[in-house]
Amino acid sequence: MPPPARSPASGSRRRALLFPLLLLPLLLLFLHLISSPTPRPLPAPRKPSQACDYSTGEWVRDTSTGPALRYDHTCKEIFKGWNCIANGKANGRDLLKWRWRPSGAGCELPRLDPRRFLERHRDTNVGFVGDSLNRNMFVSLVCMLRGVSGEVRKWRPAGADRGFTFLRYNLTVAYHRTNLLVRYGRWSASPNGGSLESLGYKQGYRVDVDIPDQTWTEACSFHDVLIFNTGHWWWAPSKFDPMQSPMLFFEKGKPIVPPLLPSAGLDLALQHMITFVNKAVRPNALKFFRTQSPRHFEGGDWNEGGSCQRNQPLSSEEVPRLI
């Protein structure tokens, strides 16, 4: 079976224009959502021209006492296999002693204060939409908030995979699982033939770039804050083998010919999803697209002998080879 043809030059141009606008870092979310903890005062207000760029900086050790974090066996929301502290990872608790320091003189990003977060965001719905990276972010926030507020109701709003409402504050935090943001499923060649069959394709995955995954179609009309992510699944040979089960992109119900590479397919899907979200979202809602993190495993994938032995964050020079 032939591999998908290379995307046209317009695909790379779209990426150059689209990604700087979309890929807002995870930390930018907290710029909007968190309030400073009382132990550490915020720096003096800055003029707009001196505003910090929270997307650039470095991880630094911070051993100061911060709010209690429930990342061990007491936080039941964490998958057992993902709970570093509960599973006895040697440097598990040490991982909590790092914080992000933005570049620039005087720039500061304080730790999240769970109680002030709850107070500040009463009557708010926060939705995470994406793969396991967003699930981890969802769980992290829930664990911190539950550490200071135990009056919680578990439910699945707007078709979410899981969610919680902190009753005293009427704050809902939910997670909508989706791997590609768009709809996809198995595809097999038709005995009657077609444009893909004529190119030699016999099976693969049909990816409809203009149709959102049904797991989050209701999220836009429910949440006041939306955090999206996707990335790793688009380049996952174990899931979408480029030879045995390639991604085959469809638009308006018809296959895109010549077939696109995953990178161009992602560009097109994001364009369509931006259009959908902007039409379906609640008025004045905050929308974020968080960046993709590097792979955590070295020496193989999680089920192929890979391990996570590092005891400090990656340097900027080390990141590209692990994405």
Side-chain angles (χ1 to χ4, degrees), residues 141-161:
L141 179 58
V142 168
C143 288
M144 284 189 283
L145 298 182
R146 293 199 70 165
V148 298
S149 178
E151 298 179 13
V152 180
R153 178 168 68 98
K154 181 185 295 187
W155 71 306
R156 298 166 59 186
D161 183 73

Side-chain angles (χ1 to χ4, degrees), residues 151-179:
E151 298 179 13
V152 180
R153 178 168 68 98
K154 181 185 295 187
W155 71 306
R156 298 166 59 186
D161 183 73
R162 57 185 54 210
F164 300 89
T165 293
F166 294 83
L167 300 176
R168 180 179 297 181
Y169 305 92
N170 192 31
L171 168 66
T172 294
V173 184
Y175 167 65
H176 301 257
R177 177 172 178 78
T178 176
N179 298 324

Side-chain angles (χ1 to χ4, degrees), residues 241-287:
D241 185 279
M243 298 301 294
Q244 300 300 320
S245 54
M247 302 173 82
L248 302 170
F249 299 103
F250 283 65
E251 188 175 28
K252 296 180 179 179
K254 297 181 180 181
I256 298 176
V257 178
L260 304 177
L261 290 174
S263 57
L266 173 58
D267 287 350
L268 199 52
L270 288 177
Q271 290 186 36
H272 281 293
M273 293 306 98
I274 290 172
T275 300
F276 172 80
V277 170
N278 285 337
K279 289 181 178 179
V281 76
R282 301 181 69 171
N284 301 318
L286 288 175
K287 298 162 288 183

Side-chain angles (χ1 to χ4, degrees), residues 32-33 223-228 281-288:
H32 283 268
L33 296 184
H223 294 294
D224 305 292
V225 180
L226 286 159
I227 305 98
F228 296 92
V281 76
R282 301 181 69 171
N284 301 318
L286 288 175
K287 298 162 288 183
F288 300 90

Side-chain angles (χ1 to χ4, degrees), residues 13 23 34 50 78-79 101 142 144 152 179 182 216 232 234 237 240:
R13 290 196 298 270
L23 298 185
I34 71 173
Q50 296 174 311
I78 306 177
F79 269 3
R101 183 174 64 191
V142 168
M144 284 189 283
V152 180
N179 298 324
V182 295
W216 64 274
H232 282 300
W234 292 80
F240 303 109

Side-chain angles (χ1 to χ4, degrees), residues 62-115:
D62 182 1
T63 57
S64 62
T65 302
L69 301 176
R70 298 176 61 238
Y71 291 141
D72 54 17
H73 65 280
T74 65
C75 188
K76 305 300 182 183
E77 285 72 46
I78 306 177
F79 269 3
K80 291 182 179 180
W82 296 356
N83 197 320
C84 298
I85 294 175
N87 288 323
K89 184 175 175 63
N91 65 330
R93 293 191 180 277
D94 189 62
L95 297 174
L96 303 178
K97 299 177 181 178
W98 295 87
R99 67 179 179 86
W100 182 255
R101 183 174 64 191
S103 300
C107 288
E108 191 73 18
L109 185 68
R111 288 181 179 272
L112 183 142
D113 184 322
R115 194 172 299 282

